[in-house]
Amino acid sequence: RQYPLLSLTHRASLSPSPQWPYCLRRCSYCNFNKYISRAVSQATMRECLERETETLLHLSQVSRITSVFFGGGTPSLAPPSTIAAVLETAARHAHLPGDAEVTLEVNPTPAGASSLGDFKVAGVNRFSVGVQSLHDEDLRVLGRDHSSQDALRTVAEAQRLCPGRVSVDVIFGRPGQTAGLWETELEELLSVCDDHVSLYQLTLERGTYLFKQVQAGLLGVPEENTMAQMYDSARRILGKRGFLQYEVSNFARNGAVSSHNMNYWKAGQYLGVGPGAHGRFTPREEGRVLREARTQTLEPDVWIKEVQRWGHGTRRRIPLEHLELLEEVLLMGLRLAEGVSHEHWRQFSPDADLQKVLGTSIEVQELQDRGLLVLDDRGLRCSWEGLALLDSLLPPLLLQLQEHGGQKGARG
C-alpha cells in the first residue's frame, strides 16, 4: 500500500491522506516511496505539509472532512506536534468533526509505542500497527526493526489508549511459512488483538532485496496453492472469532471498519498530501468539473521546493473521463464483500444501471453460473469463493464496461 501522510476524504466532504516518507530502514519486501534520512528538517516538513493541506483544500472547495489517515513511510517517526499542526490546518479550512476518524500508521518499536500517548493528545483516535509477524526470525528476513514482543507491547498500549480502534497488519506467505504455522500464528495474534485485522499476502516486488534473495534461490516462498489455502483458512478462523470480512484484505468485529478506507473502496474523493501521495478530487476552485487523479512529487527535497514555490507539489494530474471513473467504481467496489449496490452505481451512472451495462454479457452470466459473481436486486458483488479470485473476475467485467461505453459513444 502507498498512502499519503495525509489523506482527507470527502463526498460533499473529503478525506485527506498525509504522507510521511521517511523510515529508519527499508524493509526487504518494500518498494514504496520512502527515504532513509538522518537529517530531516522537521520544521520545514511541518510547514510544507500544512501549506499543501491548505492549498489542496482550497482547490477542492471542500466544506467537510470525514476522516484523516497518516501513512508512510513511517508516520510515527514524525513529531506529534506535526500531526497536531496538520489537523489544526485542516480544521481551519474545512469542518473537521470531533468524532472524525484520524488514523496513524505505527511501527511497533519501543520508541513508537512510547509516543502513542502524545499522538493521541495531538488528535489521533485510531492506530494501525504494522505487526507483520509474531516470529522474530521472519521479522528479521522481512527487514523489520521490531521484535514480536515489541509488537505485542505496542498493540496493548494502543488498545489501552484507543480501545476498539486499533488495527493490526499481518503478512502471510512469508519465506518458509507453512499453512499450519500460519494458522497457529493467526490464532495467537487474535488472542491479543483489537477489533480490526488487515491481512496481506507477501508480494515479491522486482528490485527489492527479498525478490533478489528468492530469485537467487537463497529463500523460498510458499506455492500458489498453499497461499490460497492460507488465505482461505485465515478467513474461516477470523469468522469463527467474530470478525466479518468486509473487504478482500480487511476484517472487523463490533463494527470497527475503517471509514477512511471505505471511502477509497466506494470511490469517494480524497486529498493526498506529502511526497508521493495520491489523491482523487475535483479542483472546483479552478472551475473544473472532472475528478482528477493526482500524484505528488516523489522526492522529498524536490517536493519541499515545489510546495514553498507554488503551495503544492503536484507532479501529475489526470482528468478522469466518465468511463475511467466507472472503472474505478467497479474495481474498488468489488473489493468489498457488499459489492456495488444499484444505488451507489446510479450516483456515477444515472443513465445506465448495472443490469443494462453488465447483465447481458455472456461472460458475466458464466461467472454467475459458476457461483463466483452475483448480480441481483441488491447490486453486483462477489460470492465467498469469488472474492478470493477477484483478480481473475475483473478483466471480463471491465471489458464489458468498456464495450458498453463504446457502444454508447457510437450512438451518441
Side-chain angles (χ1 to χ4, degrees):
R1 295 178 306 168
Q2 184 74 26
Y3 291 130
L5 170 61
L6 177 71
S7 172
L8 308 167
T9 22
H10 85 94
R11 298 175 184 95
S13 36
L14 179 132
S15 281
S17 296
Q19 175 87 12
W20 185 265
Y22 299 109
C23 291
L24 293 179
R25 64 194 291 183
R26 180 176 287 276
C27 299
S28 65
Y29 57 92
C30 179
N31 71 339
F32 284 178
N33 180 51
K34 55 176 60 176
Y35 298 84
I36 313 302
S37 177
R38 306 298 180 191
V40 179
S41 172
Q42 304 285 7
T44 300
M45 279 296 294
R46 181 180 68 250
E47 291 166 4
C48 288
L49 288 168
E50 288 185 87
R51 188 171 179 196
E52 188 167 69
T53 298
E54 178 181 349
T55 299
L56 296 184
L57 281 171
H58 181 68
L59 277 174
S60 73
Q61 296 286 283
V62 67
S63 59
R64 183 175 186 271
I65 296 168
T66 58
S67 63
V68 182
F69 190 103
F70 291 90
T74 307
S76 54
L77 290 176
S81 59
T82 294
I83 302 301
V86 172
L87 292 173
E88 289 165 6
T89 298
R92 283 198 303 271
H93 297 279
H95 176 53
L96 178 61
D99 60 352
E101 180 186 277
V102 180
T103 302
L104 177 81
E105 287 190 332
V106 178
N107 190 31
T109 60
S114 65
S115 300
L116 295 183
D118 292 334
F119 283 119
K120 184 180 181 185
V121 172
V124 173
N125 57 28
R126 183 177 182 271
F127 294 109
S128 178
V129 184
V131 173
Q132 314 311 0
S133 172
L134 292 180
H135 292 167
D136 286 341
E137 176 58 23
D138 286 6
L139 290 170
R140 186 192 66 78
V141 170
L142 294 175
R144 303 293 296 183
D145 57 355
H146 69 272
S147 69
S148 58
Q149 288 304 307
D150 291 337
L152 293 173
R153 283 190 286 267
T154 303
V155 170
E157 174 65 1
Q159 286 182 257
R160 184 185 71 81
L161 293 167
C162 297
R165 306 198 77 174
V166 178
S167 178
V168 297
D169 287 2
V170 62
I171 295 173
F172 68 93
R174 306 188 301 264
Q177 190 178 40
T178 66
L181 287 172
W182 163 237
E183 291 173 15
T184 300
E185 181 181 11
L186 183 58
E187 291 279 12
E188 181 183 356
L189 180 64
L190 295 182
S191 69
V192 298
C193 76
D194 203 38
D195 289 340
H196 193 280
V197 176
S198 296
L199 301 180
Y200 299 105
Q201 179 178 315
L202 179 65
T203 302
L204 295 176
E205 300 287 358
R206 186 173 298 276
T208 62
Y209 182 61
L210 185 59
F211 176 87
K212 294 173 184 175
Q213 287 181 298
V214 173
Q215 288 293 103
L218 300 175
L219 292 173
V221 294
E223 298 289 339
E224 190 173 330
N225 60 343
T226 303
M227 295 275 208
Q229 181 184 346
M230 288 178 174
Y231 180 63
D232 185 64
S233 64
R235 298 170 81 194
R236 297 184 187 283
I237 289 170
L238 282 155
K240 289 178 181 177
R241 290 295 196 104
F243 286 84
L244 295 178
Q245 182 176 20
Y246 69 97
E247 191 266 347
V248 171
S249 300
N250 287 274
F251 302 76
R253 62 187 174 190
N254 300 322
V257 302
S258 167
S259 62
H260 189 87
N261 286 344
M262 284 295 289
N263 183 70
Y264 291 141
W265 298 318
K266 291 199 170 186
Q269 298 192 68
Y270 57 96
L271 301 182
V273 178
H278 292 257
R280 294 285 191 282
F281 69 93
T282 305
R284 298 191 182 281
E285 193 270 338
E286 297 177 343
R288 307 296 177 95
V289 294
L290 290 180
R291 184 181 299 192
E292 292 183 352
R294 287 183 165 231
T295 305
Q296 307 310 101
T297 294
L298 293 174
E299 306 87 350
D301 292 345
V302 180
W303 172 83
I304 285 171
K305 291 176 182 176
E306 292 175 351
V307 173
Q308 290 173 335
R309 183 173 182 181
W310 295 304
H312 65 92
T314 304
R315 175 64 57 90
R316 185 178 63 173
R317 47 189 296 187
I318 302 173
L320 297 176
E321 299 295 338
H322 187 236
L323 178 58
E324 294 170 308
L325 184 56
L326 290 182
E327 288 173 349
E328 289 201 351
V329 173
L330 199 61
L331 281 167
M332 302 302 283
L334 284 178
R335 293 185 61 87
L336 294 169
E338 68 184 46
V340 182
S341 71
H342 290 295
E343 179 182 6
H344 182 62
W345 181 261
R346 278 195 296 270
Q347 293 177 23
F348 299 91
S349 178
D351 299 326
D353 61 25
L354 284 167
Q355 190 65 45
K356 184 176 181 180
V357 174
L358 299 172
T360 59
S361 165
I362 296 174
E363 290 82 1
V364 172
Q365 186 59 55
E366 287 177 350
L367 293 175
Q368 293 185 80
D369 293 342
R370 291 168 56 195
L372 301 176
L373 198 66
V374 179
L375 177 57
D376 59 13
D377 56 357
R378 289 167 50 189
L380 179 70
R381 62 191 178 280
C382 296
S383 66
W384 167 273
E385 295 80 8
L387 203 59
L389 301 171
L390 178 60
D391 286 350
S392 66
L393 307 188
L394 289 172
L397 294 172
L398 291 172
L399 181 60
Q400 179 62 26
L401 177 60
Q402 291 160 3
E403 289 179 352
H404 181 272
Q407 293 166 4
K408 182 180 178 182
R411 289 194 301 270

